[in-house]
Amino acid sequence: MRRGDLWRGHSSHHLAARIAVDTGYAALNSGLLNGGWPLGSLIEVCQQGFQGEWQLFMPALLSGESRAGESRPGNPGLIVLLNPPAEPFSQALIQAGLDLDRLVIVKATEKAPFLACFTELTRTVACDAVLAWQPRANLTYTELRKCLLSASEGAGLYILFRPSSVQQQSSPASLRLFSQVVTGGLEVTVFKQKGMLQRQQARPVVLSRPDEWRGLPPYHGLDQKPHPGKIDDKTPPLANVSNLRGKS
Amino acid sequence: MSERRTRLWLALRFKDLPLSALNAPSSPDKSVVVVERRRVVSMTANAAASGVRIGMDLTTAQLLSDCQVVTRDPACEQETLHRLCEQLYQFTPHIEPYRSRETAQSGLLLELSSCLKLFSGVKKLCEAILALLKTTGYEVAYGLAHSSTGAWLLSFDNHEIRGDETTALFIIRLNKLPIQVLADYPNEVDALGKMGFSTLGDLARQISANSVGSFTKRLGKDFAEVICGIYGIDQGFTQASLFVKPVESYAPEEYFHEEVQFDYPINIVDQIKSTIENLLHRLSDYLRKRQLACQHIQWRISDIHHRQEYIQVHSDTPQSDWRLLYDLTVIQLENKAIPFDIDCLELICHSAMPLQGSSQALDFSGGRKRRGSAQELSVTMAKLKARVGETAVHKVSYRDSPLPELSNLMIGLAEKSFQQLPAIHRNGLRPAWLFANPQIIENRQQGLYWHGYLTLMVGPERMVGNWWDEKVARDYFLARRRDNLAVWAYLDLYKRQWYVHGVFA
């Protein structure tokens, strides 16, 4: 009964307290069991394409509060991107304060090596976090269960990104989220959380986007006709976008 | 103190080693010349008959004979000498390779004094050595003397080995040699010629009359030492035996090779796992006893029809322990189907390196135990590389470049990331994801379109540069798609084309 992964009915307070890492967003923490991202379990994020994944997890990655990091003070573990959808941009990550020496990228586009890599990475104590993007072939329940079991052997933050289309499918992940970029920022909906009974419709949390992304209309655009995105060569060019000499 | 034993050196000079080591395919009628820095260093008999001589200019040699030209390969010669050392190790453990600095002459120097009794005298020993060399096909000239340099020089002056040679006889033979045999010292030979010396005997007489000091003063200490070395002259030491240069012993190449023959053919990986573990245990023992580590092992599987297949296993870090090598081997075997029923499994480890100074667990059990964090990391990464390939696991680093795609550098795991961002990039808007190949934005009637219409929000930020390669001028914007996704778009000012280069996420 001491095992954390045993379901004990509705009594969430009986559930063994698991270590969690602060998400960096108070609104999100309040909706999560133990007040943060659960460690040593599988977090599934359903999203369509790129949807603020760095914004969502960067505070937790930077905090280095995961157990693996605490066991090696001053020497935090690796952050592994498994099968990422694009290359992480070094300049942005340095700006965010992430140590690039902690970041490892593993490309495994086929399902079998992806699963093998995921299980290897979650079992090693050297990895603080694994951010994995499901390969093109959909993972079955059994394969997800395999991921969950290997994640429960580790003590890091293990996140699996899957397309939003699988949201309605059954999954053994401990925490399932749906994330989507909306006008106000990043909308995150927790629609499954192990150990917490969902009595009503999940309420989304909106995380505001960084101020510098908001943007202001350029001063020369203020007196232009409001036709967003329309770039016409006949209209006066933007102030700094000028033709180079000798080029049409 | 025991009396100093007289040494006996046999020099084997391989006359046409530059040519024969190359194994250049040629017909017997075809002339072949080996050149180094456009000078002929060796040639076939046909070429010599046409008038080609050593030291001749390549163009002249080509004019004289329609010859095939091959460039000298010192590595190939070294390899040949190494092979010959392996063969001659049966006669004496003291073998030294000799390579002339100035000419294309090389060979081996064998110290025989400690092996005479075993082979019943110098005559029989030398005959056995020369008989062995005859089978190799290399043309060899030999010289016997009481010093290694003396033996080398006497190899230019053929003397039959009778077995009753004495040091005095060697000195007489050396005295007759012209000073031109000291080809490695052209300046000194030139100077000696001007002084009136013509043979080595003249030098010996000068040394016995005065001392070696006059040569030291005029021609340098190194050359004087060479002269003393030829004659085995002690330079005034009271206890000369204490200052005798020890003879180097040849260490034959040692490598690990073990095999297991199965009682019945095997085609299931699980059935050979225990054998693999057993062989790796033996390798681990071998490495530990010799204080070695290896990064590469080779498995050879073969069946009863002598079909063979090799499986290469590489590790990033040198290993003397069997566990990682076992895991990597199993991954390799799981990734590929066994092509035939295995009858014999061999483990070969050729390249072992000295163990670096690191602490090792005192583990006699050899069993599997949980490793430390750092070791665990290297093990995990080695396994990942074995599964997905060497290039599929990497780190990212910043490189100072005006172009974003060039500034994002993929580096190996062992390398350190460069993270000093200049101020110009520190405050700019940069997306977390970058597309290696910028994606074209359609310029539709209603505006820019990339999986949805885009609105330019922040910008522009101009990036100009790379003029030394391909001129680039771009205006970067943060653009928002209709579904609120922020992308990093740019207008290529030369091509007048919009691209998406990254995504803010």
Side-chain angles (χ1 to χ4, degrees), chain B residues 455-472:
Chain B
T455 311
L456 302 180
M457 300 295 290
V458 187
E461 179 186 354
R462 179 159 289 185
M463 292 192 189
V464 185
N466 209 37
W467 50 265
W468 53 90
D469 188 11
E470 186 187 359
K471 270 202 290 188
V472 170

Side-chain angles (χ1 to χ4, degrees), chain B residues 174-443:
Chain B
L174 283 168
N175 284 344
K176 288 178 187 165
L177 291 177
I179 54 168
Q180 280 72 26
V181 290
L182 300 166
D184 281 350
Y185 304 89
N187 296 335
E188 286 82 353
V189 168
D190 194 37
L192 286 170
K194 285 174 185 166
M195 286 180 222
F197 292 101
S198 59
T199 62
L200 292 183
D202 297 342
L203 302 182
R205 273 192 294 280
Q206 174 68 19
I207 291 170
S208 60
N210 297 308
S211 73
V212 79
S214 57
F215 286 116
T216 312
K217 203 180 287 175
R218 287 178 176 78
L219 302 169
K221 196 179 167 200
D222 291 346
F223 185 72
E225 278 178 4
V226 170
I227 300 293
C228 291
I230 292 169
Y231 285 99
I233 299 168
D234 302 328
Q235 296 184 52
F237 297 124
T238 49
Q239 283 185 304
S241 61
L242 293 177
F243 300 95
V244 172
K245 188 186 163 198
V247 183
E248 282 181 27
S249 292
Y250 174 73
E253 192 192 0
E254 198 181 13
Y255 66 94
F256 181 86
H257 180 206
E258 288 221 15
E259 64 174 51
V260 171
Q261 295 268 356
F262 296 109
D263 294 337
Y264 52 91
I266 288 177
N267 56 7
I268 301 167
V269 173
D270 283 342
Q271 287 180 330
I272 56 169
K273 278 184 180 174
S274 60
T275 315
I276 289 172
E277 189 170 329
N278 192 14
L279 282 171
L280 285 170
H281 266 299
R282 287 190 224 167
L283 172 66
S284 186
D285 277 350
Y286 167 88
L287 293 173
R288 199 171 295 173
K289 281 172 187 165
R290 287 159 182 77
Q291 291 285 293
L292 296 172
C294 71
Q295 274 187 290
H296 171 232
I297 58 168
Q298 190 179 44
W299 294 95
R300 182 161 62 195
I301 51 174
S302 51
D303 71 351
I304 51 170
H305 306 294
H306 302 295
R307 276 184 296 180
Q308 291 185 343
E309 185 130 336
Y310 287 91
I311 299 164
Q312 313 288 346
V313 177
H314 295 272
S315 156
D316 272 359
T317 50
Q319 300 289 321
S320 58
D321 193 54
W322 62 277
R323 279 169 280 207
L324 178 61
L325 296 172
Y326 173 81
D327 290 341
L328 296 178
T329 305
V330 171
I331 289 170
Q332 291 257 2
L333 284 170
E334 282 170 354
N335 281 352
K336 65 187 287 183
I338 294 180
F340 43 72
D341 293 346
I342 302 172
D343 180 56
C344 178
L345 179 69
E346 291 168 73
L347 172 59
I348 304 152
C349 175
H350 271 292
S351 49
M353 61 196 79
L355 194 63
Q356 299 297 311
S358 62
S359 59
Q360 280 190 316
L362 194 62
D363 178 16
F364 298 107
S365 64
R368 284 176 171 274
K369 285 182 182 172
R370 195 142 180 88
R371 307 175 181 97
S373 163
Q375 199 188 353
E376 185 118 355
L377 174 66
S378 64
V379 168
T380 308
M381 290 307 156
K383 286 184 191 174
L384 293 187
K385 282 181 181 176
R387 283 192 194 283
V388 294
E390 192 78 17
T391 52
V393 184
H394 58 85
K395 278 177 23 176
V396 66
S397 173
Y398 171 72
R399 177 172 58 183
D400 198 13
S401 171
L403 301 185
E405 64 269 31
L406 297 180
S407 74
N408 212 37
L409 191 66
M410 301 302 144
I411 57 170
L413 291 181
E415 293 174 66
K416 189 117 180 93
S417 299
F418 179 68
Q419 306 191 45
Q420 299 300 318
L421 208 58
I424 191 169
H425 294 313
R426 216 174 296 146
N427 302 318
L429 265 179
R430 298 289 179 269
W433 295 121
L434 188 77
F435 295 131
N437 298 315
Q439 302 193 8
I440 290 176
I441 300 176
E442 290 175 54
N443 200 348

Side-chain angles (χ1 to χ4, degrees), chain A residues 1-9 14-16 18 194-195:
Chain A
M1 290 298 282
R2 285 182 193 153
R3 285 177 61 105
D5 53 353
L6 280 181
W7 184 71
R8 301 185 210 176
H14 287 307
L15 201 82
R18 297 200 65 146
K194 207 169 182 178

Side-chain angles (χ1 to χ4, degrees), chain B residues 25-50:
Chain B
S26 64
S27 62
D29 307 330
K30 183 80 178 168
S31 304
V32 181
V33 294
V34 182
V35 294
E36 186 178 36
R37 285 175 287 182
R38 295 191 59 82
R39 292 275 162 194
V40 175
V41 293
S42 186
M43 68 263 173
T44 55
N46 297 351
S50 310

